[in-house]
Amino acid sequence: MKKEFMKPEYFENRELSWLGFDERILGEARDKGNRLFERLKFLSITSSNLDEFFMVRVASLKDMVNAEYSKKDFSGMTPQQQLDAIHDRVHHFVSSQYSTWQRSLLPELLQSGLQVIEDHEKLNEEQGRYVDQYFVENVYPVLTPMAVDSSRPFPLIVNKTLNLGALLRKKNEENGELEFATVQVPAVLPRIVRIPPVEKNVKSVILLEEIIARNMSQLFLSYDVLCVHPYRIMRNADLTIDEDEASDLLKEIQKQLKKRQWGEVIRLEVDDKMDKRLLKILKKEFDIKEDSIYRIGGPLDLTFLMKMYGLEGFDDYKEPRYLPQQVPELTGHADIFEEIRKKDILLHHPYQTFDPVVDFIKKAAKDSQVLAIKQTLYRVSGNSPIIAALAQAAENGKQVSVLVELKARFDEENNIAWAKMLERAGCHVIYGLVGLKTHSKITLVVRQEEDGIRRYVHLGTGNYNDSTAKLYTDMGLLTCSESVGEDATAVFNMLSGYSEPASWNKLSLAPLWLRERFLTMIQRESAYARNGEPAHIVAKMNSLCDPELIGALYEANAAGVKIDLIVRGICSLKVGIPGISDHISVRSIVGSFLEHTRIYYFLNGGQEEVYLASADWMPRNLDRRVEILFPVENENLKKEVMHVLEIQLQDTLKAQIKQADGSYEKVDRRGKPALCAQEYFMEYARNLNKPQEDMLHDRVFIPAEPVEE
C-alpha cells in the first residue's frame, strides 16, 4: 500500500467512531417522528451498548495504559489520548441521554397515560401505603443488607448490578461515627412496579430502588439512615485466555468467567445528588479516578426501558409488530431438499421467516437418507430449536459435528452449556481453533440419494439464532451446488483436523485467504478505472476499520472508482478528502431492525460480482477469525441482492450521511421520495407471497411522492 494513502490524518479513531454510532441511536430516541415507545427502546439500546463498550473497549485501553503501552493507533492516538477523548465525549453523551429522558420522554409518557415516579417522596398517601406493603411482602425477604466495619470488609459489588449505598449512625448517638452499608437491588424482582394510579386514565409505576430506598430504615433498625443513593459499577470483562497453555479450553474459559466479577472497576455511576461523604467512600474502595465517575440526573441503568416497552395498553405508541413472511419457494408442504435441488434459494431476514433454516436442520435430523450434519454455532437463542434438532440427529444415529465457539463474548456460559448438552447427545463437538474465533455461519447436510451422495449447504451473514433473526437484517443462501458442497466439506475438515486445502472453488475464508481476496477485487476495480472503464464498488457491512482495506479504497478512489459504503457502526474511513476520498460516500442506517447483512458488490467491467459474508472489514474479522465470503451466482438472486443495495442507497428517512468532519446528517429530502428501506422490504416481502396477478410486474413497492422542505 502506498504511504500517501496511509497518513494518520486520513483515519478516524475506531472508538470515537463507535461512540458516533451510539449517538446516532440516541438521535432516534430524540426523534419525535418515531413513536413514543420506540424511542424508549432506542434509549435503552444506547445504555446497553455503552455498558459493553466500557467493559470491553475501554477496559482494553485501560489495560494498555496500565502496562505503559504508548504505541499510537492508525489515527495517531495513544491509548491515554483515546481514553481522555472517550471520557470527555461520553460525559456529554450521558448528559444528552438523561436530557432526552427527563425533558422529552417523561413528559410525553405522562401525556400518553403513564406516570413514572422517580422519587418515592412524591408518592401520595395511598401509593405510599401500597409501596410499603409491597416492600414487606415481596422485597424485604429477598434483600441482603451489608454493613461495613472492622469485622465486615467492603463486600464484592457485582458488575452491572444496581446498588443502594447508605450512611448510617447508631440511634441516640448524635456525634457517633458514620458507617457505610450497601444493598443490592435484586435483579430477580421486577424493576418496574405498578402502583395505584393518581387518576383514572393514568397508569402509575415506580422503580424498585425507590421502594427499597423509602424503606431502608427497616433494614438497619438500630441505626438512623442519614442518606441513601443508588450507584452502579462497570468492571473489566475482557477475558484473557492463553489458549496455547490451556490444556482444556472449556475449563479455562469457565475459570476466566469467574474472574469477571473481580475485574478492575472502570466506571462508576452515581446519583448526581449523592452525599459527598458517601461518594468519597465509594471512590476510595473502587480506586477510581474522577473522570471515570458519571453523575446521573435520573434513574441509573436505562436498560429498564426495554421492560417498560413491554407494558400492556400502549400499542398505539409502538410500531405494529411485523410478522416475517414465508419464503415463496418453501411455502405449504414443499420438500426443502427437493426445492433446493431445483435452484438456489435466497433468504432475507427478518423480512422473511428464519423457519426454513430451522426446518432444514430439523428435516435433516429425521430424514433417513441424511448421513451427516455439520454446523458452526456462534450465538444461539436460549431455547434453541437448532440445538434440539442437532441432538435428535445424533440420537437418530447420524454423524453430527458441531463447532461451538466458546469465545463468543458474553455468550461463553450459554455456549458451554450447549456444548455439553450436544456432547451428551452423541455429537462431535469442537471448541473452535486455537487463537481464532469461528464466526462463519455454515451448515452442511450430507444426503444419500438415488444418484449418489449430495451435499446441501446453508451459508449466512448472521447467527443461527431464531430470536435475533426477528430483529437483525441478514441474508442466507440454501444450495446444493457441487462446488460449494466440496468447499463446505473442506471447511469442516479444516476446522476439525489439520487439513488446509490448496485452493477453493467458490468460498473465500479468513484468516488465510479473505483479506487478499478483498484487496484483489478492489485493485481490479482500480485497474478498470485507470483504463477509462466504469468502475464501482458498493459494500454494506457493520463496521469498517481495517487500515489496509481503507487504504485500498483510497487508492481506488484516486484511480476514479465510484465507491458507495453502507456502514452501520464504526467507520474509520474519512470522506471528502480531495484526491483521497472525494468519490466515496458513507451512509449509516439505524432503524427498527439492526442492520447486520454484509454484502459486497463489484462492477468488474460489467461482469458484476455479488458476495455475501459473515465478515466485516475489520482486522479481527480478517486476521483473527474464521469467516466465509460466498458468491451469489444465480442471476435472479444476484439481482435480488443488488436490489437491496439500491434501495438502501435510496433511503431518505433512516439513512444518515457521513460528512467530511466525521459527523452524520440526515438525507436532504428535497425533491426525493420519502423512502424507509426497512419499511420497503417489509412490504416487498408481503408482496412476494401474493398471487402473481395481484403483484406488480417488477414487484417493487412504490414509495411516497417527493417531499419539499
Side-chain angles (χ1 to χ4, degrees):
M1 190 63 56
K2 294 179 182 176
K3 288 185 180 180
E4 63 187 281
F5 300 111
M6 303 299 290
K7 296 177 181 178
E9 58 266 31
Y10 293 164
F11 296 87
E12 184 177 350
N13 174 261
R14 171 202 160 122
E15 318 306 346
L16 299 181
S17 180
W18 184 91
L19 287 173
F21 164 58
D22 217 21
E23 288 164 358
R24 294 196 291 282
I25 299 174
L26 180 59
E28 293 298 308
R30 299 169 73 91
D31 185 352
K32 295 192 176 183
N34 291 324
R35 299 194 188 204
L36 178 58
F37 273 63
E38 301 302 323
R39 294 168 63 195
L40 292 181
K41 193 194 298 186
F42 281 118
L43 187 55
S44 173
I45 291 168
T46 66
S47 187
S48 59
N49 280 353
L50 202 59
D51 285 352
E52 184 168 337
F53 177 71
F54 266 83
M55 287 189 292
V56 178
R57 302 305 306 176
V58 174
S60 176
L61 288 169
K62 278 191 170 281
D63 286 343
M64 291 182 198
V65 170
N66 292 340
E68 298 183 352
Y69 181 85
S70 58
K71 185 178 177 181
K72 294 180 178 180
D73 73 335
F74 54 74
S75 70
M77 297 180 74
T78 65
Q80 185 61 60
Q81 288 172 329
Q82 293 179 65
L83 276 179
D84 293 342
I86 287 168
H87 283 303
D88 181 60
R89 192 153 166 182
V90 173
H91 279 288
H92 285 97
F93 178 76
V94 171
S95 295
S96 295
Q97 279 181 310
Y98 282 89
S99 170
T100 303
W101 168 245
Q102 299 285 359
R103 297 183 185 180
S104 182
L105 296 176
L106 261 183
E108 289 187 43
L109 284 171
L110 188 56
Q111 289 175 9
S112 74
L114 180 64
Q115 179 195 32
V116 182
I117 297 175
E118 294 187 290
D119 184 350
H120 63 80
E121 293 182 0
K122 294 181 179 177
L123 295 168
N124 63 30
E125 191 173 333
E126 180 190 4
Q127 290 172 328
R129 284 196 303 271
Y130 179 90
V131 160
D132 293 343
Q133 187 68 22
Y134 182 88
F135 175 82
V136 170
E137 293 178 358
N138 299 285
V139 184
Y140 181 79
V142 182
L143 298 178
T144 306
M146 292 183 284
V148 175
D149 56 28
S150 57
S151 65
R152 291 172 289 197
F154 197 90
L156 170 69
I157 305 300
V158 177
N159 185 37
K160 291 172 62 177
T161 56
L162 185 59
N163 301 272
L164 291 171
L167 288 178
L168 314 174
R169 182 182 284 138
K170 282 190 177 178
K171 287 185 181 293
N172 305 317
E173 292 187 12
E174 197 169 313
N175 297 317
E177 188 177 341
L178 289 179
E179 297 187 33
F180 171 82
T182 187
V183 179
Q184 182 178 318
V185 178
V188 293
L189 297 178
R191 189 171 172 198
I192 302 168
V193 180
R194 286 281 300 274
I195 60 175
V198 286
E199 52 187 271
K200 265 189 180 180
N201 297 323
V202 174
K203 294 180 180 178
S204 295
V205 298
I206 190 170
L207 298 180
L208 180 59
E209 61 265 29
E210 286 299 316
I211 296 176
I212 299 171
R214 175 183 169 90
N215 290 276
M216 199 74 160
S217 59
Q218 295 193 46
L219 301 174
F220 304 98
L221 295 176
S222 302
Y223 290 81
D224 290 322
V225 179
L226 305 183
C227 67
V228 183
H229 296 282
Y231 69 95
R232 181 172 179 260
I233 61 167
M234 200 64 52
R235 294 185 182 274
N236 184 336
D238 204 17
L239 299 184
T240 303
I241 301 166
D242 187 347
E243 295 181 52
D244 291 320
E245 296 298 319
S247 57
D248 187 324
L249 183 60
L250 187 144
K251 288 182 180 177
E252 179 64 19
I253 290 178
Q254 286 178 311
K255 185 170 71 176
Q256 291 296 327
L257 285 172
K258 292 176 182 176
K259 291 183 180 179
R260 259 189 189 157
Q261 61 185 333
W262 294 100
E264 177 191 6
V265 175
I266 54 176
R267 179 171 60 145
L268 169 64
E269 295 171 290
V270 298
D271 175 11
D272 63 357
K273 300 181 185 66
M274 179 174 276
D275 188 293
K276 290 181 181 178
R277 296 167 297 178
L278 181 55
L279 179 58
K280 186 178 179 181
I281 292 170
L282 295 176
K283 191 175 177 180
K284 179 185 175 185
E285 289 296 336
F286 296 133
D287 188 22
I288 196 162
K289 294 180 180 177
E290 187 63 33
D291 62 1
S292 297
I293 300 173
Y294 288 80
R295 294 167 173 80
I296 306 296
L300 275 57
D301 185 11
L302 291 172
T303 59
F304 78 90
L305 296 176
M306 198 63 83
K307 298 289 186 185
M308 189 173 286
Y309 181 88
L311 290 175
E312 294 181 358
F314 297 93
D315 288 349
D316 289 346
Y317 299 93
K318 304 173 187 176
E319 286 293 329
R321 187 177 177 186
Y322 175 73
L323 180 67
Q325 300 297 296
Q326 295 298 313
V327 178
E329 296 89 341
L330 300 173
T331 54
H333 301 288
D335 181 305
I336 193 165
F337 295 122
E338 184 180 336
E339 295 303 321
I340 297 171
R341 283 197 300 275
K342 291 178 186 175
K343 61 178 181 178
D344 291 355
I345 298 171
L346 185 72
L347 309 172
H348 193 189
H349 315 300
Y351 310 109
Q352 293 177 319
T353 176
F354 190 70
D355 289 350
V357 180
V358 177
D359 292 343
F360 176 58
I361 298 162
K362 281 185 175 179
K363 178 76 186 295
K366 297 175 183 176
D367 191 324
S368 60
Q369 292 176 260
V370 169
L371 306 176
I373 304 173
K374 303 184 180 187
Q375 186 171 30
T376 59
L377 295 176
Y378 191 74
R379 300 186 196 276
V380 293
S381 62
N383 190 23
S384 173
I386 286 176
I387 295 284
L390 291 169
Q392 183 186 22
E395 288 162 1
N396 288 345
K398 303 183 190 306
Q399 288 286 314
V400 180
S401 301
V402 188
L403 187 144
V404 180
E405 182 47 78
L406 298 184
K407 302 185 289 289
R409 186 177 284 126
F410 303 123
D411 270 338
E412 297 98 342
E413 289 182 87
N414 285 339
N415 287 4
I416 287 170
W418 290 131
K420 289 181 175 178
M421 192 269 264
L422 289 169
E423 281 185 328
R424 285 195 297 271
C427 300
H428 300 293
V429 179
I430 310 160
Y431 297 140
L433 302 179
V434 173
L436 300 173
K437 282 186 182 180
T438 302
H439 190 246
S440 54
K441 330 295 182 185
I442 182 171
T443 303
L444 169 65
V445 171
V446 182
R447 195 167 186 259
Q448 177 70 61
E449 298 182 356
E450 288 182 8
D451 55 351
I453 293 288
R454 194 184 303 271
R455 287 173 280 208
Y456 295 83
V457 181
H458 173 266
L459 294 156
T461 67
N463 297 312
Y464 287 108
N465 188 315
D466 54 296
S467 295
T468 58
K470 298 183 181 77
L471 304 171
Y472 292 16
T473 73
D474 274 303
M475 300 189 97
L477 186 71
L478 288 163
T479 182
C480 62
S481 157
E482 190 173 332
S483 53
V484 171
E486 288 177 1
D487 282 354
T489 297
V491 168
F492 284 102
N493 287 345
M494 187 179 74
L495 293 174
S496 62
Y498 297 101
S499 169
E500 259 179 38
S503 62
W504 298 89
N505 297 313
K506 300 293 182 182
L507 306 184
S508 298
L509 268 70
L512 297 180
W513 302 278
L514 188 50
R515 173 184 292 281
E516 195 56 41
R517 179 78 175 131
F518 278 131
L519 287 171
T520 298
M521 291 189 288
I522 294 170
Q523 290 159 2
R524 185 180 61 190
E525 292 300 312
S526 298
Y528 281 119
R530 290 191 193 98
N531 289 333
E533 298 180 55
H536 192 192
I537 297 170
V538 185
K540 171 175 162 43
M541 66 199 83
N542 298 317
S543 298
L544 169 59
C545 61
D546 185 87
E548 187 176 15
L549 284 179
I550 293 173
L553 292 174
Y554 287 156
E555 192 168 358
N557 172 93
V561 180
K562 185 178 188 299
I563 302 170
D564 293 305
L565 302 174
I566 306 164
V567 186
R568 185 194 80 224
I570 299 164
C571 181
S572 295
L573 179 147
K574 290 186 176 182
V575 299
I577 306 171
I580 301 294
S581 59
D582 42 3
H583 300 304
I584 303 177
S585 72
V586 175
R587 63 179 47 219
S588 172
I589 295 176
V590 177
S592 299
F593 301 131
L594 184 139
E595 291 291 338
H596 195 252
T597 322
R598 288 91 166 193
I599 306 173
Y600 301 100
Y601 165 89
F602 301 89
L603 180 56
N604 187 29
Q607 301 296 310
E608 296 168 304
E609 292 184 351
V610 174
Y611 297 87
L612 300 174
S614 59
D616 293 315
W617 282 352
M618 304 178 75
R620 73 180 188 190
N621 295 99
L622 301 175
D623 301 331
R624 301 192 297 277
R625 290 185 173 188
V626 178
E627 305 274 12
I628 295 180
L629 174 81
F630 55 98
V632 180
E633 295 187 316
N634 176 284
E635 287 301 321
N636 289 329
L637 300 188
K638 189 188 291 187
K639 287 175 183 174
E640 289 285 332
V641 179
M642 288 162 59
H643 184 209
V644 171
L645 295 176
E646 288 163 7
I647 294 301
Q648 293 223 321
L649 291 173
Q650 294 171 29
D651 189 307
T652 55
L653 295 181
K654 292 300 180 184
Q656 297 185 49
I657 311 301
K658 188 168 189 178
Q659 307 297 307
D661 64 357
S663 65
Y664 284 75
E665 293 183 5
K666 291 277 190 179
V667 175
D668 182 351
R669 283 176 51 197
R670 286 175 293 187
K672 297 174 184 173
L675 174 61
C676 170
Q678 293 188 354
E679 289 180 4
Y680 174 97
F681 286 114
M682 284 188 258
E683 186 66 20
Y684 185 78
R686 292 188 189 104
N687 284 338
L688 285 177
N689 286 292
K690 289 180 180 178
Q692 290 294 318
E693 60 270 18
D694 293 344
M695 291 171 56
L696 293 170
H697 177 66
D698 56 2
R699 301 187 305 189
V700 172
F701 170 65
I702 305 299
E705 289 300 310
V707 176
E708 295 296 328
E709 294 182 345

